[in-house]
């Protein structure tokens, strides 16, 4: 008879963690969302992705330094509480959870749309309900099952992107049949120049670009369930630059070399056009399979991350005690149930609220992403200040170019928040984000502050 457990189990291998990070960071934002960033900056959007990728890498190295020292389920919420104060930890944890729910809302709705390509007569709500139940059941399984599922779903995405890069490179160099003559790379500067809207266009695209990287911080949340966090977390984080260059920069470089940048997103998905031009009669279905796997993978990762965050906050008195309930297989089942129910309610709201309101809520996720990263950087600065000279020399996974790189990255994140306020399309998202922070602050002083539990981070072994 299996004995009950009162803690999370370490069942995730290095392979699982690498692909969990891929699953959360590569989703519909790459396949479709990048078109909006391209329209703002033109081909110079590549510079925005490189700059944003460098900033995300420093954020993840800062998070990795703290995670290797303290691999705990509360992750960056716990670090913010310990180093910046309980209010910072409370706001950071719930902002991340809210972000994940909003992103899942968009993804489960998108899943229903994608399934409609094959089954147009089936009501969309049936597909939405089915995917919520499937993901909920999957997250109730042993964490190793979750890791395996995420590995294979992410592998489909990675294989598809590799195929697109290889096929696109062939079109650029050699052409393919009558649909694609050899294009070269002239399209990168032949339609108004490489940066048609100058530096302003590149800066304006930063909000969308940074949102595309949102979710990659789930690497740290897996630390509490990793078999060897001191080894696998640094390995996963150090592959981030290669992933960004390969999956974002190379992909968009090829797309904009083949198609004029000002036509991308206006004549259907460029992924479909590439596969169709290669003579694949089922290009739409092939892409649909890829996008569906990307969507399921993203939902899977986001529910996992939000659930573990809620469990970690419950341990510190920042969430209901019921979130601490763990099944015999080591899964915090109550958080999965709560998130599943919340997602059902969100889907209903998606059908009731006007589209403009939904777009505003979705944009709020971008603000939440930047807020979480800011808290990670500030927590890291505070942690470094708390260490003695001897302890700093003993850091196992130090941030490169300390303290210059983290300081520049912090300023970069503040710039992105400023961009959200300066661009008309995202200004309401910034206002809504500030209102959200005010509500959390008020709730903290009203209900949370008096029942906080003492917190002491465990020292590394």
């Amino acid at each position: 008879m299996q004995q009950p457990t009162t803690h999370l189990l370490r069942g995730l291998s290095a392979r699982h963690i690498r692909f969990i990070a891929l699953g959360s960071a590569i989703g519909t934002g790459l396949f479709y969302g990048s078109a909006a960033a391209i329209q703002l900056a033109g081909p110079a959007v590549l510079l925005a992705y490189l700059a944003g990728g460098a900033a995300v890498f420093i954020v993840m190295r800062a998070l990795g330094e703290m995670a290797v020292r303290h691999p705990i389920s509360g992750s960056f919420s716990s670090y913010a509480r310990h180093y910046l104060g309980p209010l910072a930890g409370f706001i950071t944890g719930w902002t991340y959870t809210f972000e994940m729910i909003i992103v899942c809302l968009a993804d489960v709705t998108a899943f229903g749309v994608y399934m409609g390509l094959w089954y147009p007569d089936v009501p969309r709500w049936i597909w939405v309900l089915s995917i919520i139940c499937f993901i909920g059941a999957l997250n109730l399984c042993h964490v190793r099952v979750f890791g395996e599922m995420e590995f294979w779903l992410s592998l489909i995405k990675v294989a598809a992107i590799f195929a697109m890069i290889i096929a696109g490179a062939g079109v650029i160099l050699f052409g393919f049949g009558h649909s694609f003559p050899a294009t070269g790379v002239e399209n990168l500067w032949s339609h108004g120049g490489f940066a048609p809207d100058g530096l302003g266009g590149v800066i304006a695209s930063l909000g969308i670009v940074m949102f595309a990287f949102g979710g990659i911080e789930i690497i740290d949340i897996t630390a509490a369930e990793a078999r060897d966090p001191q080894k696998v977390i640094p390995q996963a984080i150090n592959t981030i630059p290669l992933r960004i260059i390969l999956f974002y920069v190379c992909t968009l470089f090829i797309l904009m070399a083949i198609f004029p940048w000002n036509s991308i997103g206006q004549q259907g998905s460029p992924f479909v056009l590439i596969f169709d031009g290669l003579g694949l009669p089922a290009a739409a279905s092939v892409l649909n399979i890829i996008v569906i796997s990307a969507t399921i993978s993203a939902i899977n990762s986001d529910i996992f991350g939000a659930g573990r965050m809620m469990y970690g906050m419950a341990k510190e008195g920042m969430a209901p005690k019921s979130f601490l309930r763990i099944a015999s297989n080591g899964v915090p089942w109550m958080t999965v149930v709560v998130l599943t129910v919340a997602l059902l309610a969100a889907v209903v709201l998606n059908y009731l609220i006007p589209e403009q309101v939904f777009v505003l809520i979705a944009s709020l996720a971008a603000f939440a992403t930047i807020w979480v990263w800011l808290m990670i950087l500030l927590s890291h600065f505070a942690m470094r200040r708390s260490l003695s000279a001897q302890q700093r020399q003993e850091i196992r996974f130090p941030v490169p170019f300390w303290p210059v790189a983290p300081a520049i990255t912090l300023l970069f994140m503040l710039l992105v928040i400023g961009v959200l306020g300066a661009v008309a399309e995202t200004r309401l998202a910034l206002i809504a984000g500030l209102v959200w922070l005010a509500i959390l602050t008020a709730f903290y002083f009203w209900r949370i502050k008096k029942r906080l539990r003492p917190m002491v981070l465990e020292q590394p072994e």
Side-chain angles (χ1 to χ4, degrees), residues 321-402:
K321 294 181 181 179
S322 59
F323 291 175
L324 292 173
R325 296 177 183 173
I326 295 182
S328 59
N329 60 0
V331 173
W333 64 271
M334 181 57 76
T335 64
V336 176
V337 171
V338 170
L339 286 168
T340 302
V341 172
L343 207 52
L344 287 171
V347 172
V348 174
L349 289 175
N350 183 42
Y351 286 102
L352 297 178
I353 62 178
E355 182 179 356
Q356 293 82 358
V357 176
F358 176 73
V359 171
L360 172 62
I361 295 176
S363 300
L364 182 58
F367 172 84
T369 298
I370 299 301
W371 173 266
V372 169
W373 291 343
L374 273 175
M375 290 298 100
I376 290 172
L377 288 170
L378 292 175
S379 299
H380 179 256
F381 274 107
M383 184 203 75
R384 281 289 190 122
R385 286 199 305 269
S386 70
L387 300 179
S388 65
Q390 179 65 28
Q391 288 175 320
R392 291 172 186 170
Q393 293 178 357
E394 295 173 352
I395 293 175
R396 303 183 188 180
F397 189 51
V399 171
F401 307 112
W402 167 268

Side-chain angles (χ1 to χ4, degrees), residues 206-224:
L206 287 176
I208 299 174
V209 168
M210 299 308 290
F211 175 66
F213 295 135
I216 200 168
E217 62 274 6
I218 197 176
I219 292 176
D220 184 62
I221 295 179
T222 65

Side-chain angles (χ1 to χ4, degrees), residues 275-286:
F275 288 129
D276 189 45
L278 295 176
L280 292 176
S285 293
V286 170

Side-chain angles (χ1 to χ4, degrees), residues 211-297:
F211 175 66
F213 295 135
I216 200 168
E217 62 274 6
I218 197 176
I219 292 176
D220 184 62
I221 295 179
T222 65
E225 292 167 270
R227 293 173 186 166
D228 186 4
Q230 280 77 17
K231 179 180 179 182
V232 300
I233 297 300
Q235 289 177 346
I237 290 175
N238 283 336
T239 61
I240 289 175
L242 179 61
R243 287 191 215 131
I244 290 172
I245 293 174
L246 183 62
F247 296 117
Y248 282 93
V249 178
C250 287
T251 300
L252 297 182
F253 175 90
I254 287 175
L255 287 179
M256 290 186 291
I258 295 176
F259 303 102
W261 67 268
N262 48 13
S263 70
I264 292 178
Q266 298 179 5
Q267 301 176 355
S269 170
F271 287 84
V272 172
L273 296 177
I274 288 179
F275 288 129
D276 189 45
L278 295 176
L280 292 176
S285 293
V286 170
L287 180 73
N288 215 40
I289 293 173
I290 295 168
V291 173
I292 284 174
S293 68
T295 303
I296 295 175
S297 173

Side-chain angles (χ1 to χ4, degrees), residues 113-155:
V113 174
Y114 299 149
M115 293 302 295
L117 175 68
W118 293 326
Y119 304 99
D121 298 328
V122 177
R124 185 187 301 174
W125 68 268
I126 293 179
W127 297 117
V128 173
L129 179 62
S130 65
I131 191 60
I132 291 174
C133 292
F134 173 75
I135 295 296
L138 181 62
N139 274 269
L140 289 173
C141 297
H142 190 283
V143 68
R144 184 172 57 252
V145 177
F146 162 80
E148 281 297 321
M149 185 68 176
E150 192 60 25
F151 170 78
W152 290 106
L153 288 171
S154 297
L155 189 61

